[in-house]
Amino acid sequence: ETGVTQSPTHLIKTRGQQVTLRCSSQSGHNTVSWYQQALGQGPQFIFQYYREEENGRGNFPPRFSGLQFPNYSSELNVNALELDDSALYLCASSLVRLSSGANVLTFGAGSRLTVL
Amino acid sequence: DQQVKQNSPSLSVQEGRISILNCDYTNSMFDYFLWYKKYPAEGPTFLISISSIKDKNEDGRFTVFLNKSAKHLSLHIVPSQPGDSAVYFCVASDPNAGNMLTFGGGTRLMVKP
């Protein structure tokens, strides 16, 4: 089975620009979530998509938006980039369980964004 | 406010000895706790989890202990191996927030040969 793949792996933008990051979920997974990991910190939840709709959001402003496509791939869009947006952006996929259990995520290797 | 805290940013252990990584949390509604491991240039990978109704879960060399009254959990690795050198994240799942995962800041474990 294929894992979670993300593109691009690295990119550099300038303040005020817009960026789109892409993610292909693991085969068979129907939920995708995005995390921001600043240097020296743990990943922070941005939002989650299930059946192409956002069904959970962390403490991030509206200029962070996303899409999930019918094939369960996903995009993260960030508008009006700020210097503090420089971070590793991680995509993770999972399979929603009908029974209770830990929500085990499979992560991609991330896209490292640098905003100058 | 940091709901999941890992107060030790780094830990160094000799090969063959026990590694103990600690984690504290503040939200009593968390129902599952997970540990993820991250190597450089890779995404975090799932290691082990524990339900809030249990106090111990073991998987090979890895054991997680949960003390709900103290809101504290720990990951024990024994014996530690050089390949265990990585950043370990303590993670909590919130059923009231769509099972959103909250990560601690991570502990960098270095296992010396």
Side-chain angles (χ1 to χ4, degrees), chain B residues 3 34 95 104:
Chain B
Q3 295 190 67
L34 309 90

Side-chain angles (χ1 to χ4, degrees), chain A residues 1-6 23-31 71-73 91-95 105-109:
Chain A
E1 68 185 10
T2 58
V4 176
T5 57
Q6 293 186 241
C23 172
S24 290
S25 300
Q26 178 165 313
S27 175
H29 285 183
N30 57 11
T31 300
N71 65 355
Y72 303 123
S73 64
C91 171
S93 69
S94 62
L95 181 63
L105 303 182
T106 301
F107 282 87

Side-chain angles (χ1 to χ4, degrees), chain B residues 4-103:
Chain B
V4 179
K5 291 184 182 179
Q6 295 175 255
N7 290 319
S8 298
S10 65
L11 174 68
S12 183
V13 170
Q14 203 68 36
E15 180 180 6
R17 306 296 287 267
I18 185 171
S19 296
I20 300 176
L21 293 87
N22 293 303
C23 176
D24 297 296
Y25 63 95
T26 57
N27 187 345
S28 58
M29 299 306 293
F30 289 143
D31 66 345
Y32 273 92
F33 301 90
L34 309 90
W35 286 91
Y36 275 78
K37 178 171 71 173
K38 187 179 188 300
Y39 293 118
E42 296 182 14
T45 55
F46 170 72
L47 192 57
I48 191 170
S49 67
I50 187 168
S51 164
S52 60
I53 63 173
K54 297 191 174 181
D55 55 19
K56 178 182 174 181
N57 187 27
E58 191 172 351
D59 184 1
R61 297 185 297 113
F62 303 91
T63 303
V64 57
F65 296 92
L66 175 63
N67 182 335
K68 279 190 70 175
S69 61
K71 293 193 178 70
H72 177 83
L73 63 156
S74 60
L75 174 67
H76 292 209
I77 307 173
V78 56
S80 301
Q81 301 173 353
D84 296 329
S85 298
V87 176
Y88 289 78
F89 292 104
C90 174
V91 187
S93 176
D94 187 348
N96 295 321
N99 294 316
M100 180 186 85
L101 298 186
T102 300
F103 282 71

Side-chain angles (χ1 to χ4, degrees), chain A residues 1-22:
Chain A
E1 68 185 10
T2 58
V4 176
T5 57
Q6 293 186 241
S7 63
T9 54
H10 296 82
L11 71 166
I12 299 173
K13 293 283 188 178
T14 56
R15 199 169 44 183
Q17 285 189 312
Q18 178 266 343
V19 69
T20 297
L21 307 178
R22 295 179 173 82

